[in-house]
Amino acid sequence: MIEHIQLADLRTFVSIAEQGNFTKAAEKLQVSRSHVSRQISQLESQLGVTLLIRTTRTLKLTHEGQKLYQECANAFSFINQALLEAVENTETLSGDIFIDSVGGIIGEDIIATMAHEFMKLHPNVHIHLDFSSHRIDLIMDDIDIAFRMGELSKYEAFIAYPLMTIHMATLASPDYLQQYGRPIHPKDLIQHRCLTGSVNKWSFTNKTEDQVINITVPDVFRCKNGRVLVNGALHGNGIIRVPTLYCTEEIKQQNLEEVFNDWHIPSVNLSLIYQRDKYQPKRFVEFIQFTKAYFKNHINHDEKVILTKIKTTDVIDI
């Protein structure tokens, strides 16, 4: 019968032991005296133990009742503290935020800088930032917030807030193109050296015709870090597909150039992903709002970053 004992009955028992009588305990619990009496009778019946000796004038704990009171009082003290911490964790700006982000300039420069600025404003918030390109499960991997590029699968439990549109480009150095020739069609990439990140299936759209083609490129080098790919292309080692913001100056100085004239890569969104939870801790709520404002007021207006601002009303559920 122990598994059927109600926590409320134990709380009532502890309150009676502390108050010294049923009436005061009922007043503290804001219930009737008869309700308290029924709870104790039910508790004793389920345990098969007499906990209180009651007369018209006195109330005394039995030996078993005294022992149960001491153990329960200690347990409720821990429970009450845990409940208080849970509430405080939701209402105060403190605690940990676990963030997973794409790497490269986006993660290492933009997201990391933003995280440091947020922590400077809220020093009691501790951020754990990880750069990952693999598919993650926010719940199973204990991730609170994620930043991802491209199309996202839809899940009812999460919200994806688009922060910006990122322009993509297929690039190579003039030295590479002089040595290996310039591909005319995406299919020509099969005969070229390609440096890839986490994806070696590249999609292209014809600028003049309504045509889309997907090519699995042969990668002679693979690395999930955009800086490394740009460096490899600058050394003439192959063709890369990266966000243009990874190599703005290199493009401007013509150290890297667009490979195709008639084919381009569709732009992709960078999205902020977080759980749909109306009882989010305050640190999550503040960081999410800070991120939206940061991208709106700083990133999308930075002349050094080649970005196109998108409608922030295009929030999607994933």
Side-chain angles (χ1 to χ4, degrees):
M1 296 294 291
I2 293 178
E3 62 271 14
H4 299 298
I5 291 174
Q6 301 293 315
L7 191 64
D9 294 347
L10 288 173
R11 280 195 178 276
T12 296
F13 167 69
V14 170
S15 182
I16 291 172
E18 291 175 345
Q19 298 299 319
N21 62 64
F22 280 52
T23 301
K24 290 182 179 179
E27 291 175 353
K28 180 181 179 182
L29 297 170
Q30 297 182 334
V31 295
S32 67
R33 189 183 187 284
S34 60
H35 179 76
V36 168
S37 181
R38 285 194 300 272
Q39 284 183 292
I40 296 303
S41 296
Q42 176 176 276
L43 181 60
E44 288 181 326
S45 175
Q46 289 176 324
L47 289 174
V49 175
T50 299
L51 302 174
L52 300 166
I53 299 174
R54 307 181 282 279
T55 68
T56 55
R57 293 185 178 182
T58 62
L59 181 146
K60 183 180 179 181
L61 295 175
T62 64
H63 175 74
E64 291 76 14
Q66 182 65 39
K67 189 172 182 179
L68 180 63
Y69 161 70
Q70 291 174 346
E71 295 293 340
C72 287
N74 289 335
F76 280 127
S77 176
F78 286 114
I79 291 174
N80 291 338
Q81 181 62 34
L83 293 173
L84 288 173
E85 289 180 1
V87 172
E88 181 180 0
N89 200 32
T90 302
E91 296 179 348
T92 61
L93 263 169
S94 62
D96 298 325
I97 303 178
F98 290 85
I99 301 173
D100 189 89
S101 173
V102 294
I105 289 177
I106 294 174
E108 296 166 18
D109 292 351
I110 298 176
I111 303 301
T113 299
M114 181 186 70
H116 284 301
E117 291 192 17
F118 182 81
M119 289 178 62
K120 187 175 182 180
L121 293 173
H122 309 290
N124 291 325
V125 174
H126 305 153
I127 290 179
H128 305 256
L129 178 59
D130 187 32
F131 300 125
S132 173
S133 296
H134 72 281
R135 189 177 183 85
I136 61 167
D137 185 315
L138 268 67
I139 295 178
M140 296 302 296
D141 293 337
D142 294 324
I143 301 299
D144 301 313
I145 292 169
F147 294 89
R148 280 291 178 267
M149 288 170 53
E151 293 186 7
L152 303 167
S153 301
K154 291 188 176 182
Y155 297 98
E156 293 183 357
F158 301 101
I159 291 176
Y161 185 95
L163 297 170
M164 67 175 75
T165 295
I166 298 177
H167 295 299
M168 304 290 294
T170 308
L171 304 167
S173 69
D175 289 343
Y176 175 88
L177 296 175
Q178 182 177 1
Q179 181 177 355
Y180 293 96
R182 180 184 295 274
I184 304 302
H185 191 279
K187 290 182 179 180
D188 297 338
L189 292 173
I190 296 175
Q191 307 301 323
H192 279 266
R193 299 169 58 86
C194 296
L195 317 179
T196 67
S198 58
V199 178
N200 66 345
K201 187 176 182 180
W202 293 359
S203 178
F204 296 89
T205 301
N206 192 282
K207 293 183 178 181
T208 57
E209 303 175 10
D210 187 15
Q211 184 181 4
V212 177
I213 187 169
N214 296 306
I215 298 294
T216 299
V217 300
D219 44 4
V220 298
F221 180 85
R222 181 179 295 186
C223 181
K224 295 179 181 179
N225 187 284
R227 296 179 192 271
V228 174
L229 296 179
V230 170
N231 190 39
L234 289 172
H235 277 79
N237 275 330
I239 298 172
I240 60 174
R241 186 187 76 158
V242 296
T244 53
L245 65 89
Y246 281 17
C247 44
T248 304
E249 288 302 314
E250 289 80 359
I251 295 173
K252 184 177 179 180
Q253 295 173 10
Q254 299 183 339
N255 293 321
L256 290 177
E257 58 183 86
E258 284 271 11
V259 171
F260 297 109
N261 294 321
D262 299 325
W263 296 86
H264 75 281
I265 305 170
S267 298
V268 298
N269 286 344
L270 174 70
S271 299
L272 166 67
I273 306 171
Y274 53 94
Q275 295 183 34
R276 182 190 300 280
D277 183 0
K278 65 179 180 179
Y279 299 118
Q280 283 183 332
K282 190 173 183 179
R283 63 185 184 277
F284 293 174
V285 175
E286 290 295 327
F287 183 83
I288 290 168
Q289 296 303 320
F290 183 86
T291 298
K292 293 176 181 178
Y294 187 88
F295 273 82
K296 179 180 179 181
N297 298 328
H298 298 288
I299 303 305
N300 286 323
H301 298 289
D302 190 340
E303 293 181 357
K304 295 180 181 179
V305 182
I306 305 176
L307 300 171
T308 300
K309 187 177 174 184
I310 65 174
K311 296 178 181 179
T312 55
T313 55
D314 295 337
V315 179
I316 59 173
D317 298 338
I318 66 168

